Amino acid sequence: MNSYDNLPDATLVTFPEIFGENRKFHIPDYQRPYNWENDQRADLLTDIDKLALLVKENANASHFCGTIICTMRDENQEDFYVVDGQQRLTTLTLLHSCLCRKIGKKTFLSTLGSVRFTPQSMDAETYTDLLNNGLRSDIKTIAQQNYDDAVKQIDKWILNNTSDAKDLLTLLEKHFKFILFILQDENEVAKVFETINNRGKPLTQMDLVKNHLIYVGAVNKWKSPNVNEIWRKIQQIAGDAEFTDADTDAVLRATVVAQFKPGRRNAGETDFTIVARELPAEENKYEEFQTFVKFLEANFQTYQNLRNASNTDPKNPILRALTLLNHHESITGVLPLIFARQFRRKDDHKDAPVLTAIEKTNFRLYGLPDRAARSDSYNVRLHTLAYDYFRTKQTDQQLIGDLTELVTNEQKDGLSTIVKSLTLDDDANYDFYTWPWRRYFLACFEESLLDRQSFDFGRLSTKYAKSDRTNDYLSIEHIWPQKADDHSVKTYRDSQQIRRLGNLMLLPHALNISSGKDTLDKKAHKLKNADITLLRQNEKLPSLINKAQDFVKTLQERNDKRFGATRNRFNKNTIAPNASIALIKTVCDLREEAMITFALRQWRLEGETEQGRGFAGMFSFNHSGETFESNKETASTKSNSNFVDITKDANETDHRKRLQARNEVIEGVIEPYYWT
């Protein structure tokens, strides 16, 4: 006789009748944990409040609370696994115990030391404590926290309810109705999971993948790796690190990409469908199964390490590389590569050439201004490299070479690409204050200025309001204010100088909020006399402003023939109105020279050459030294580009001659920078 022959078909039952015939229900470890939050529980409690009003009008009124789907745990027809209904049953059992406790009655769900409903093994102790006495053991998982939150929310609801606790208990026991349905074929469980929805909390891709892995392991009788145990570790990591659903999805997606599917996906293709296709229960793919489970666990640990990384001490190259990647605006394209590298070389901490190459590649392809619009085309190629590398088809050096080739194919003259991306042409309307990577760039630049190459990147994300130390939070400051009382800079070429990268710097928040509309002289004075710890780029600004003022004074004196004929140089009538423009132009030029030279060192890939060109510096002035009215600047007197990009053997242009003359005035000569 089939073990199901004596079981009822789908049956309409009350809450106590679910547990009739001595039935006990268990939540399999392969199911997702209890994840109802306040909103879902509030909906259920509201249903009870509405039901109370209906019962006053009609004593036979009831509320249908959905279907409970289960399968037999063994053949004694008393123990069952819950396939669908976990979230409702968990909440309702806790509600029943809270109401019973309120009126001094013991819940039928716990008799003679036996609990009639038990969740996943890792959470059973906490749940049982709350069910029996409303007290909890130490909280260790997200589900356990949700149990505790549920009891608190229910107790508060009972306290504030207009109905008596005894009446509420009667509503739950006699007026809540369910359909109890027992699956006749255990092999249908996986299919059921694909379509289940619980009050707007559908199964996630992680839930579906976990269910499938346990199913595959059970069919093939594989005892190791233990999927339940590994999922417990994953949940612990996710809880400790406070991962969002988006974080979890990102880890799973990158894992599937690196091991199974690097290319574009077909319509409707998900992480779950790919895993189910690549690891079918009917085929013996134990090594692939084992690798995927261990790879996924390792990747959650790597992702936690990545998101916690904030120190760039060169003595720890792995931590340094992870810190830089952690503070990228986006790492979606390279996350599979990061996971593959860490999994392949998890015991190797000597150096990090692959991670360093990944960081440089990601910045070059996704970080530079105007690169993001083309970024989608890079993902497939990066994911394919991750797939090949993960499957050990490539050495570290080959991968680094492939990353360099990918970047150089897109940026054939990489040196010029970096220079052009970080500067504004005269007709450009871009504003570097809107650049998503600006904080990251300025933090890296700050590190380059330090005597000891280590910077606390955690200061980029520390919120001012959460800290008593006002120098924790670093904000972005305009050196020349956007709302300065002097409007000459804002009207010059539609605020070109304000929008330049050289006009931005990181600054401790406390000083930033006190700077306001200060002139450059006042800002320099405040920086010199600040009583908080400044960044090196802040400390350097006063001397930079002094150099700029010296150069502007030279232009105003109109007696240096290197800046054009006397008749063309600064008009006496326009010296005062344009002095501010000349000053901030010089400040931005000098700062951008340092920033770009740093960027050319920082993000050059191994073996990359400069295509015969070099970076000499920034000079955004008229070649002829004419007045700084923008309508006087023409193609004959002013280069559209504000950088001086030279070839090794080129004759000196007027542009470069005047750049050299300016450097001599301020005694700040820099050598042209080449990728040799």
Side-chain angles (χ1 to χ4, degrees):
M1 182 175 68
N2 189 293
S3 60
Y4 289 94
D5 287 347
N6 293 331
L7 293 175
D9 294 328
T11 308
L12 187 67
V13 295
T14 63
F15 182 68
E17 288 172 345
I18 293 175
F19 300 88
E21 306 296 331
N22 295 318
R23 284 191 287 264
K24 298 178 182 178
F25 294 89
H26 310 268
I27 307 300
D29 282 339
Y30 58 76
Q31 279 208 41
R32 62 181 171 185
Y34 178 61
N35 64 358
W36 265 17
E37 298 174 345
N38 282 359
D39 288 347
Q40 287 79 36
R41 293 189 293 263
D43 285 345
L44 183 61
L45 297 175
T46 299
D47 288 343
I48 299 176
D49 289 332
K50 292 178 180 177
L51 179 60
L53 297 175
L54 292 175
V55 169
K56 287 181 179 180
E57 301 295 328
N58 179 2
N60 295 319
S62 63
H63 174 75
F64 178 62
C65 203
T67 301
I68 306 298
I69 303 175
C70 58
T71 186
M72 282 207 310
R73 188 183 187 193
D74 53 39
E75 296 187 3
N76 65 13
Q77 298 186 19
E78 292 183 353
D79 281 9
F80 298 88
Y81 281 129
V82 176
V83 175
D84 181 29
Q86 174 200 176
Q87 307 296 326
R88 282 168 290 151
L89 281 179
T90 303
T91 308
L92 289 169
T93 55
L94 291 172
L95 171 61
H96 192 272
S97 68
C98 288
L99 288 170
C100 287
R101 198 160 39 248
K102 182 71 173 177
I103 63 177
K105 176 181 176 181
K106 186 171 178 61
T107 176
F108 65 80
L109 296 165
S110 182
T111 57
L112 300 176
S114 176
V115 178
R116 307 283 294 279
F117 177 84
T118 54
Q120 293 87 344
S121 55
M122 73 183 76
D123 301 320
E125 182 180 353
T126 298
Y127 168 83
T128 302
D129 288 346
L130 287 167
L131 186 75
N132 286 331
N133 50 41
L135 302 176
R136 62 174 175 81
S137 54
D138 291 339
I139 298 295
K140 296 180 180 178
T141 68
I142 296 175
Q144 293 169 17
Q145 185 62 59
N146 287 335
Y147 297 147
D148 191 52
D149 291 343
V151 170
K152 292 176 181 176
Q153 184 178 6
I154 291 167
D155 282 339
K156 183 177 180 180
W157 173 77
I158 294 172
L159 180 65
N160 296 328
N161 207 290
T162 56
S163 298
D164 183 77
K166 186 176 181 179
D167 294 334
L168 293 173
L169 184 63
T170 299
L171 289 174
L172 174 57
E173 291 187 341
K174 295 185 178 181
H175 296 272
F176 259 55
K177 300 294 178 68
F178 307 79
I179 290 178
L180 177 63
F181 181 73
I182 299 173
L183 288 175
Q184 301 295 307
D185 183 357
E186 291 181 346
N187 291 327
E188 293 296 311
V189 172
K191 293 181 180 179
V192 170
F193 271 112
E194 295 180 42
T195 57
I196 286 174
N197 247 313
N198 283 329
R199 282 186 178 267
K201 297 287 283 189
L203 289 172
T204 66
Q205 291 293 300
M206 279 289 286
D207 295 328
L208 294 169
V209 168
K210 177 189 176 186
N211 298 338
H212 180 74
L213 293 176
I214 289 182
Y215 176 67
V216 171
V219 168
N220 291 281
K221 295 182 172 56
W222 293 332
K223 301 297 183 182
S224 177
N226 186 315
V227 177
N228 286 324
E229 177 62 22
I230 286 177
W231 236 258
R232 184 190 67 76
K233 294 178 182 177
I234 287 175
Q235 289 175 341
Q236 185 74 48
I237 292 170
D240 291 345
E242 298 182 349
F243 285 171
T244 64
D245 289 343
D247 290 325
T248 300
D249 290 343
V251 175
L252 177 61
R253 173 62 62 93
T255 304
V256 172
V257 163
Q259 185 167 349
F260 296 133
K261 181 69 174 180
R264 297 188 185 279
R265 297 189 172 187
N266 300 322
E269 199 170 33
T270 65
D271 295 318
F272 165 68
T273 59
I274 293 171
V275 172
R277 183 183 68 230
E278 296 293 333
L279 296 174
E282 299 78 16
E283 298 180 23
N284 188 336
K285 289 191 172 183
Y286 177 68
E287 289 188 7
E288 197 86 27
F289 173 86
Q290 181 185 48
T291 298
F292 179 76
V293 174
K294 291 183 176 180
F295 187 35
L296 185 61
E297 178 190 5
N299 291 346
F300 270 89
Q301 186 61 64
T302 293
Y303 198 73
Q304 181 185 39
N305 295 339
L306 174 68
R307 288 315 186 195
N308 288 337
S310 61
N311 190 279
T312 56
D313 188 343
K315 294 179 181 178
N316 189 335
I318 303 296
L319 176 59
R320 173 180 171 77
L322 290 178
T323 295
L324 296 177
L325 286 162
N326 180 32
H327 289 85
H328 279 203
E329 183 66 18
S330 171
I331 56 172
T332 303
V334 296
L335 191 58
L337 275 167
I338 297 170
F339 286 166
R341 188 273 172 203
Q342 292 300 85
F343 189 71
R344 277 189 55 176
R345 296 188 60 190
K346 53 182 173 290
D347 297 323
D348 185 351
H349 302 289
K350 299 190 302 294
D351 56 13
V354 170
L355 289 177
T356 299
I358 292 171
E359 189 278 330
K360 292 181 178 182
T361 298
N362 199 53
F363 180 81
R364 292 281 294 279
L365 295 180
Y366 297 94
L368 290 174
D370 82 10
R371 300 288 108 192
R374 311 172 193 174
S375 61
D376 288 346
S377 64
Y378 307 138
N379 278 0
V380 172
R381 284 174 282 178
L382 288 167
H383 291 175
T384 301
L385 289 178
Y387 176 81
D388 291 340
Y389 181 69
F390 176 76
R391 292 184 171 270
T392 66
K393 295 179 181 179
Q394 292 176 307
T395 64
D396 286 0
Q397 202 57 42
Q398 287 172 331
L399 175 60
I400 293 170
D402 286 341
L403 290 172
T404 300
E405 182 180 1
L406 173 60
V407 173
T408 53
N409 283 342
E410 296 297 319
Q411 303 172 12
K412 298 190 183 300
D413 184 352
L415 183 146
S416 292
T417 299
I418 292 175
V419 173
K420 291 176 182 178
S421 295
L422 298 178
T423 57
L424 290 182
D425 288 345
D426 282 347
D427 56 358
N429 59 10
Y430 188 74
D431 185 348
F432 273 93
Y433 193 76
T434 66
W435 182 28
W437 295 65
R438 66 194 185 282
R439 287 170 63 79
Y440 176 71
F441 179 90
L442 291 172
C444 290
F445 176 61
E446 174 65 23
E447 185 193 56
S448 74
L449 301 175
L450 301 176
D451 297 326
R452 182 176 178 271
Q453 299 297 292
S454 180
F455 179 71
D456 179 11
F457 274 74
R459 297 181 68 185
L460 293 181
S461 54
T462 300
K463 296 302 182 186
Y464 173 69
K466 293 183 179 180
S467 173
D468 293 327
R469 290 162 45 205
T470 56
N471 64 338
D472 272 352
Y473 177 44
L474 300 178
S475 58
I476 300 291
E477 165 80 346
H478 283 91
I479 296 174
W480 186 270
Q482 291 178 293
K483 298 180 180 180
D485 294 331
D486 182 343
H487 296 286
S488 61
V489 174
K490 189 171 185 178
T491 57
Y492 173 81
R493 288 198 175 278
D494 191 24
S495 70
Q496 181 197 49
Q497 304 308 311
I498 296 174
R499 293 183 283 110
R500 289 176 66 174
L501 178 61
N503 192 43
L504 302 178
M505 68 175 177
L506 282 178
L507 192 71
H509 180 75
L511 190 56
N512 181 28
I513 61 177
S514 66
S515 298
K517 301 178 182 180
D518 288 344
T519 63
L520 295 194
D521 282 338
K522 288 184 179 179
K523 285 190 176 180
H525 178 74
K526 282 189 176 182
L527 289 172
K528 284 182 178 179
N529 296 281
D531 57 0
I532 62 175
T533 303
L534 296 174
L535 300 181
R536 187 64 59 87
Q537 58 193 274
N538 310 144
E539 295 172 347
K540 287 179 173 289
L541 185 62
S543 64
L544 205 68
I545 292 173
N546 288 338
K547 288 183 178 182
Q549 288 171 332
D550 289 343
F551 180 58
V552 172
K553 183 178 179 181
T554 298
L555 293 177
Q556 290 174 329
E557 289 173 350
R558 306 172 69 237
N559 59 9
D560 192 327
K561 294 182 179 180
R562 293 176 298 181
F563 299 104
T566 302
R567 65 180 182 277
N568 291 333
R569 293 196 299 275
F570 249 131
N571 272 313
K572 288 184 177 179
N573 295 334
T574 56
I575 287 177
N578 292 286
S580 296
I581 299 172
L583 180 62
I584 192 58
K585 270 192 176 188
T586 308
V587 169
C588 287
D589 284 352
L590 294 175
R591 294 194 80 243
E592 286 177 9
E593 282 179 0
M595 290 174 167
I596 293 169
T597 302
F598 151 72
L600 292 173
R601 291 195 310 268
Q602 179 83 353
W603 288 292
R604 176 194 177 191
L605 282 153
E606 184 176 317
E608 197 171 4
T609 60
E610 77 278 350
Q611 303 294 318
R613 304 190 70 81
F615 173 67
M618 299 294 300
F619 192 72
S620 55
F621 291 86
N622 266 5
H623 297 178
S624 61
E626 280 192 298
T627 181
F628 292 92
E629 297 175 44
S630 59
N631 60 358
K632 296 289 184 68
E633 297 176 357
T634 65
S636 63
T637 64
K638 172 73 168 68
S639 172
N640 185 50
S641 298
N642 291 308
F643 60 85
V644 183
D645 187 6
I646 61 173
T647 60
K648 292 180 181 178
D649 301 321
N651 293 326
E652 291 185 348
T653 62
D654 284 345
H655 206 178
R656 188 179 179 193
K657 286 179 180 178
R658 285 171 176 79
L659 170 64
Q660 291 175 325
R662 184 213 66 189
N663 288 340
E664 291 172 9
V665 170
I666 65 174
E667 298 180 348
V669 179
I670 68 166
E671 293 294 326
Y673 187 85
Y674 297 97
W675 280 349
T676 57

